Amino acid sequence: MNISIDNPVAVVDKYAAKHGTTKVAEAFVKNLFTPEAQQEFAKVVFGLLTQR
């Protein structure tokens, strides 16, 4: 199974710095692309692609 997440994701530096959440925001974004997170996206058919 291949999954494609086509929705953009970003950490807004100025906002994250102001609120002291830069490290946790960057970790969250990095986590979105782990195999475990990808499996969760697949459960809700989030950008699910069939293998060819």
Side-chain angles (χ1 to χ4, degrees):
M1 174 184 331
N2 293 325
I3 300 171
S4 173
I5 301 173
D6 297 324
N7 297 319
V9 61
V11 174
V12 180
D13 294 334
K14 188 173 181 178
Y15 184 89
K18 178 180 178 181
H19 296 279
T21 58
T22 301
K23 286 185 181 181
V24 72
E26 288 173 347
F28 176 75
V29 170
K30 185 177 179 180
N31 181 65
L32 291 175
F33 298 95
T34 64
E36 294 82 9
Q38 294 294 304
Q39 287 298 322
E40 293 303 314
F41 285 118
K43 288 179 185 176
V44 293
V45 194
F46 211 115
L48 185 61
L49 300 175
T50 58
Q51 284 187 329
R52 294 180 183 178

